[in-house]
Amino acid sequence: MIDRYARPAMKAIWTDEGRLSRWLEVELAVCEVQAERGHIPADAMAQIRARAAFDPARVAEIESKVRHDVIAFLTEVAERVGPASRFVHYGMTSSDVIDTALALQIRDSGRLLLEGVERVRAVLRRRALEFRHTPCIGRTHGVHAEPTTFGLKLLVFCEEMRRQRVRLARALDEAAVGKISGAVGTFAHLPPELEERVCARLGIGFEPAATQVVQRDRHAAFVTTLALVASSLDKIAVELRHLARTEVREVQEEFGRGQKGSSAMPHKRNPWRLENVSGLARVLRGYAGAALENQALWHERDISNSSVERVVFPDACTLLDFMLDRMAHLIDTLVVFPERMRENLELTRGLAFSGTLLLRLAEKGSSREDAYAVVQRHALEAWDEGGDFRERILAEPVVGALLSKEEIERAFSLEEALRHVDAIFARTLAREGEDS
């Protein structure tokens, strides 16, 4: 991933050094368990512990000749360890190292991603509570619908991020899985008990039944989950981008001192970082497709998945880590205009309450069809010709015959429309402890 979208901690996990250091961690864990089982002499194990190391440049140099990355790595380690290196990689195949180390990278990346999801959820929660009772117009099909609050908009996103955290944790458990079962998964040279002990030592799960590789449905589910999380961030970004439009102007992306929005138009304050989140989500969704393609390998394995994963895993994890950090900051610093929200809510002069009025008429004995006809007629006239919808309704004899002035006023009450907001917050935030 290009540096523009990479944060240091995540980037370090997926560098060549980060990958090779985990290869060495796997090899040493196998040796330690073998030594405990009495299959490596104590002096040889001491040599391995003391000398096992690598230089990424030397590994690359060897690989340019042997054209095999694991062999190049083992050759470099053997040069440093000496005679005791005969016990390193004993009974193993390359995928035992690669896939088990990949599980470590997934595990370590996952910790950062879970922290990122939680940061976004926490700032959404805080700002949802801040604007819990800030009324604004709800929109369906991009058209004014009924009143809501800006806090409820953010609460919906907060709850979605809670679900995404649960999904991500589950996907990490499934994908952070190693195997030390040999060339076709039969444990021809090392016993299943060793695999279980090695994976436990490394803090990951193990593949109960493998071929030469850990099965790629696990990894497809993981990358697909990353795409799901990214799509939730995209969803938030799309909503805020719309609300930042000049015609709407209910929110504004934080604009720093000295910042410039356009090379041609000095007045511009564009939601460019929100647009950036939406764009990067498209990349993540593309990676999910590539990961799904990796599930079908020939027989006990082929290597068609390898080239894909060298791109997809580092990029997907690094991109989502960046996106989460960016979105947490954008929500935290989002400029909100409650007065403008109120102006937009009142823009259609009471039309947002047409549904409530329809129900009040039906409650008083009108057929739904008759009530709909009279309410729609006045609503469309107010929309097309102007004037105040509430005043039109107050002057309508058909309505007046069924509803008192007080009942009509109550039908246009913002407080009445939003009376369950606190209950929605209470039941939603009560779910926060369910997945902890």
Side-chain angles (χ1 to χ4, degrees), residues 162-294:
R162 184 197 66 80
R163 294 194 300 275
Q164 294 294 23
R165 192 189 189 287
V166 173
R167 289 190 185 106
L168 180 56
R170 183 168 60 241
L172 285 165
D173 284 343
E174 289 187 348
V177 164
K179 55 89 61 180
I180 312 290
S181 54
V184 293
T186 59
F187 296 98
H189 309 294
L190 296 171
E193 178 257 344
L194 177 136
E195 176 188 76
E196 295 175 21
R197 289 175 60 181
V198 167
C199 289
R201 182 182 292 262
L202 294 170
I204 56 175
F206 61 88
E207 182 69 278
T211 56
Q212 189 178 105
V213 295
V214 170
Q215 301 307 286
R216 258 46 194 179
D217 63 290
R218 297 177 179 275
H219 305 87
F222 173 62
V223 179
T224 300
T225 300
L226 301 190
L228 278 169
V229 178
S231 294
S232 289
L233 300 180
D234 184 16
K235 173 181 175 179
I236 299 169
V238 166
E239 175 68 17
L240 297 180
R241 285 164 57 196
H242 168 75
L243 298 181
R245 290 171 54 211
T246 305
E247 298 82 2
V248 180
R249 202 166 180 268
E250 295 183 1
V251 304
Q252 178 180 289
E253 191 177 290
E254 175 262 339
F255 197 85
R257 183 181 296 275
Q259 182 176 335
K260 294 177 171 60
S262 167
S263 63
M265 296 168 284
H267 73 278
K268 296 278 275 175
R269 287 195 268 197
N270 303 322
W272 66 275
R273 286 169 293 182
L274 290 166
E275 293 170 336
N276 171 252
V277 168
S278 288
L280 295 178
R282 299 168 189 170
V283 180
L284 263 295
R285 289 190 285 268
Y287 286 155
L292 289 167
E293 293 290 340
N294 271 356

Side-chain angles (χ1 to χ4, degrees), residues 42 105 130 152 342 373:
Q105 289 177 295
E130 179 183 354
L152 272 179
R342 191 64 177 247

Side-chain angles (χ1 to χ4, degrees), residues 133-424:
H133 296 300
T134 301
C136 64
I137 188 65
R139 298 171 176 88
T140 59
H141 305 277
V143 178
H144 284 205
E146 293 185 338
T148 184
T149 75
F150 187 61
L152 272 179
K153 284 178 177 280
L154 298 181
L155 183 69
V156 169
F157 299 145
C158 177
E159 167 63 10
E160 184 163 339
M161 294 309 294
R162 184 197 66 80
R163 294 194 300 275
Q164 294 294 23
R165 192 189 189 287
V166 173
R167 289 190 185 106
L168 180 56
R170 183 168 60 241
L172 285 165
D173 284 343
E174 289 187 348
V177 164
K179 55 89 61 180
I180 312 290
S181 54
V184 293
T186 59
F187 296 98
H189 309 294
L190 296 171
E193 178 257 344
L194 177 136
E195 176 188 76
E196 295 175 21
R197 289 175 60 181
V198 167
C199 289
R201 182 182 292 262
L202 294 170
I204 56 175
F206 61 88
E207 182 69 278
T211 56
Q212 189 178 105
V213 295
V214 170
Q215 301 307 286
R216 258 46 194 179
D217 63 290
R218 297 177 179 275
H219 305 87
F222 173 62
V223 179
T224 300
T225 300
L226 301 190
L228 278 169
V229 178
S231 294
S232 289
L233 300 180
D234 184 16
K235 173 181 175 179
I236 299 169
V238 166
E239 175 68 17
L240 297 180
R241 285 164 57 196
H242 168 75
L243 298 181
R245 290 171 54 211
T246 305
E247 298 82 2
V248 180
R249 202 166 180 268
E250 295 183 1
V251 304
Q252 178 180 289
E253 191 177 290
E254 175 262 339
F255 197 85
R257 183 181 296 275
Q259 182 176 335
K260 294 177 171 60
S262 167
S263 63
M265 296 168 284
H267 73 278
K268 296 278 275 175
R269 287 195 268 197
N270 303 322
W272 66 275
R273 286 169 293 182
L274 290 166
E275 293 170 336
N276 171 252
V277 168
S278 288
L280 295 178
R282 299 168 189 170
V283 180
L284 263 295
R285 289 190 285 268
Y287 286 155
L292 289 167
E293 293 290 340
N294 271 356
Q295 281 185 252
L297 303 177
W298 285 15
H299 307 299
E300 276 59 55
R301 88 154 301 191
D302 63 59
I303 203 171
S304 61
N305 64 297
S306 176
S307 55
V308 179
E309 290 171 359
R310 289 174 190 263
V311 175
V312 165
F313 277 100
D315 280 14
C317 292
T318 304
L319 273 182
L320 185 58
D321 177 62
F322 173 84
M323 292 169 68
L324 289 164
D325 182 69
R326 169 152 286 183
M327 183 57 76
H329 175 75
L330 287 170
I331 297 166
D332 185 49
T333 60
L334 186 71
V335 181
V336 180
F337 301 112
E339 298 83 2
R340 180 62 176 172
M341 290 178 178
R342 191 64 177 247
E343 289 175 15
N344 286 337
L345 175 60
E346 297 171 353
L347 186 65
T348 57
R349 301 172 302 280
L351 293 184
F353 300 96
S354 69
T356 303
L357 183 63
L358 169 66
L359 294 178
R360 297 294 87 82
L361 289 170
E363 288 170 0
K364 291 293 185 176
S366 173
S367 72
R368 181 179 176 84
E369 291 74 17
D370 290 344
Y372 197 103
V374 69
V375 173
Q376 185 185 46
R377 174 166 57 83
H378 284 289
L380 295 182
E381 287 176 358
W383 184 296
D384 295 335
E385 301 170 11
D388 188 280
F389 177 58
R390 185 177 63 86
E391 295 301 322
R392 287 174 176 271
I393 290 298
L394 285 168
E396 169 56 57
V398 172
V399 175
L402 293 171
L403 297 175
S404 68
K405 182 178 179 181
E406 291 74 19
E407 288 172 323
I408 295 172
E409 294 288 359
R410 196 157 54 249
F412 284 84
S413 166
L414 190 60
E415 290 73 21
E416 183 76 7
L418 301 175
R419 66 190 182 279
H420 295 303
V421 167
D422 285 337
I424 298 170

Side-chain angles (χ1 to χ4, degrees), residues 43-58:
D43 58 341
M45 191 64 233
Q47 280 190 351
I48 294 169
R49 287 194 196 100
R51 300 177 183 176
F54 63 89
D55 176 0
R58 175 60 179 151

